Amino acid sequence: MSNSKIRNMEEFAAVSGISRPTVSKYFNDPDSVRKSTRSKIEAALEEYDYRPNFYAINQNRRQTKTIGLVVPNLADPFFAAITRIMEGLIVEAGFNPLLLSSHGGPEQELANLESLRAIKPAGVLLAPLGRVSAIEQIAAFAEQIPTVLFDANLEGVGAAFFGSDNQRSIGQIVEYLCRSGEPPVFFEMKHPVNANAYRRQSAYVEAMERLSHDPIILQADGVGWDFEKIGYDEGRRVIAQQSLQSNTVLCSNDRLAIGLLAAAYESGLQVGLGDKSSLRVAGHDDHPFARYTCPSLTTMSQDYEAICRHSVQTILELIDHGEPLSQRQETLFSAQLVMRNSA
């Protein structure tokens, strides 16, 4: 391996004996050049240990001012609210947002990224599925196209991640529920689709133990994004079996809580504060419907505005600079306790 430092593609083309356009063509699509030429370029790559700046390549070959915006499920009002903010910020910056839904499936998530790659976007904002995402393929995509993650983190993937501080927010709502009534049981899905659920469970256990209470975890069967139905079905079951070990339930997310509220109503239980109520229910996220449930749902409100603004601002900086950040950014924003009538 040569010790000489190759600073850019022009220098690499000169030392490899291949024309600059041919080298550029290879990096855009290795199969687009002849096999003998490809072998010569790859041998030079080994000798000089050169790695092109794919961010700069993307900037040079950009044909549109499109920023891809990929979310797990657009049918979820939570993501609809976030993307509405992001779309406005993208348009305000003079770019065109292209919104895609992964429909809860890792294959569709990868298909979305491949579709974006084909149109040569300026950058991509991605809320990954998380636990079931094809991390290696997403990481490879993010090495070629400026990518910022939000909502769910994939360690080391993309230039930056912006999300909610689940550790702090769950700790805060557990403390409130313990202070205002019986310590809560934690209601979650047995097979969650989002890695945030694991962080929230861990934070619940830690908070309960810190407050000298035994953590009790109630796991609901069910797979997929139909959280309300899963919360409703499991809620009906545990209420009928009288297997709740507390009159306070903290749900992993608001959509599960909405299902549980419906189950409690149909089971004849009154939810809320006061002597006449037999159950308290709380959630997390401040889902757009949380304030309109009956009773209105106590929850932790994520700072949507900050997550959206920082995500868009960072992708714009990457596009403007034409190169990756010196190191990956990871920023978590605090949520706010919203006390409503359910707890």
Side-chain angles (χ1 to χ4, degrees):
M1 182 180 296
S2 172
N3 291 326
S4 59
K5 177 67 174 178
I6 304 299
R7 293 173 297 181
N8 52 47
M9 198 176 296
E10 285 74 13
E11 291 186 3
F12 176 74
V15 299
S16 64
I18 305 294
S19 69
R20 170 65 171 78
T22 301
V23 169
S24 178
K25 187 178 180 182
Y26 167 84
F27 285 126
N28 282 319
D29 180 8
D31 292 331
S32 66
V33 301
R34 288 182 298 181
K35 185 176 181 181
S36 58
T37 303
R38 186 164 69 245
S39 299
K40 191 172 182 180
I41 293 173
E42 290 170 354
L45 287 172
E46 288 292 328
E47 179 178 355
Y48 295 101
D49 192 29
Y50 170 66
R51 293 295 178 269
N53 185 336
F54 282 109
Y55 281 66
I57 293 172
N58 181 72
Q59 184 76 0
N60 290 335
R61 68 190 176 101
R62 175 161 45 106
Q63 296 177 350
T64 67
K65 296 194 71 175
T66 298
I67 293 179
L69 184 50
V70 183
V71 297
N73 197 327
L74 267 177
D76 187 334
F78 171 80
F79 287 109
I82 289 179
T83 54
R84 186 163 56 247
I85 298 173
M86 286 188 168
E87 282 184 308
L89 294 170
I90 291 169
V91 171
E92 185 180 306
F95 287 81
N96 305 311
L98 178 56
L99 183 56
L100 298 171
S101 172
S102 299
H103 301 292
E107 296 84 5
Q108 186 60 48
E109 185 171 63
L110 287 180
N112 287 338
L113 296 181
E114 286 306 311
S115 296
L116 287 169
R117 190 200 303 272
I119 65 168
K120 304 175 183 178
V124 171
L125 293 164
L126 169 66
L129 296 172
R131 185 178 64 86
V132 297
S133 290
I135 297 176
E136 289 186 4
Q137 291 95 319
I138 294 175
F141 174 89
E143 287 179 358
Q144 298 185 20
I145 295 174
T147 303
V148 169
L149 271 55
F150 66 96
D151 183 60
N153 195 12
L154 301 178
E155 296 294 336
V157 176
F161 165 72
F162 299 98
S164 187
D165 190 342
N166 291 295
Q167 191 77 19
R168 177 177 294 183
S169 60
I170 290 294
Q172 185 177 350
I173 198 167
V174 167
E175 289 175 0
Y176 163 72
L177 293 172
C178 289
R179 186 172 66 247
S180 57
E182 287 188 16
V185 300
F186 189 70
F187 184 38
E188 66 172 6
M189 292 172 59
K190 185 180 295 185
H191 305 291
V193 296
N194 191 303
N196 286 329
Y198 294 107
R199 297 184 179 95
R200 292 173 187 179
Q201 183 207 82
S202 174
Y204 162 77
V205 171
E206 181 178 313
M208 290 287 283
E209 291 176 345
R210 184 175 66 251
L211 297 169
S212 300
H213 298 299
D214 292 329
I216 302 173
I217 297 173
L218 178 64
Q219 293 186 316
D221 284 322
V223 179
W225 286 83
D226 198 358
F227 300 151
E228 292 86 0
K229 183 179 187 305
I230 293 170
Y232 172 80
D233 289 343
E234 184 67 9
R236 291 276 290 181
R237 186 185 69 79
V238 297
I239 290 171
Q241 295 178 355
Q242 298 183 335
S243 55
L244 281 174
Q245 299 181 51
S246 170
N247 71 1
T248 304
V249 182
L250 171 59
C251 299
S252 178
N253 62 65
D254 286 350
R255 292 183 61 190
L256 280 176
I258 291 171
L260 179 59
L261 288 175
Y265 175 80
E266 293 193 5
S267 301
L269 295 181
Q270 183 166 330
V271 177
L273 302 169
D275 297 336
K276 294 183 179 180
S277 297
S278 53
L279 187 65
R280 294 192 304 159
V281 176
H284 192 290
D285 293 336
D286 200 16
H287 188 282
F289 297 163
R291 69 188 64 190
Y292 304 116
T293 57
C294 186
S296 55
L297 184 62
T298 290
T299 186
M300 294 300 297
S301 177
Q302 295 195 48
D303 194 342
Y304 299 137
E305 189 74 23
I307 292 171
C308 292
R309 287 195 175 277
H310 280 77
S311 297
V312 174
Q313 179 181 341
T314 301
I315 199 68
L316 293 174
E317 290 175 354
L318 289 168
I319 294 168
D320 287 342
H321 295 162
E323 59 184 24
L325 302 171
S326 57
Q327 65 180 53
R328 186 176 190 264
Q329 296 179 6
E330 188 170 318
T331 306
L332 301 178
F333 296 94
S334 297
Q336 180 180 1
L337 175 64
V338 180
M339 292 177 287
R340 298 194 180 106
N341 295 329
S342 71

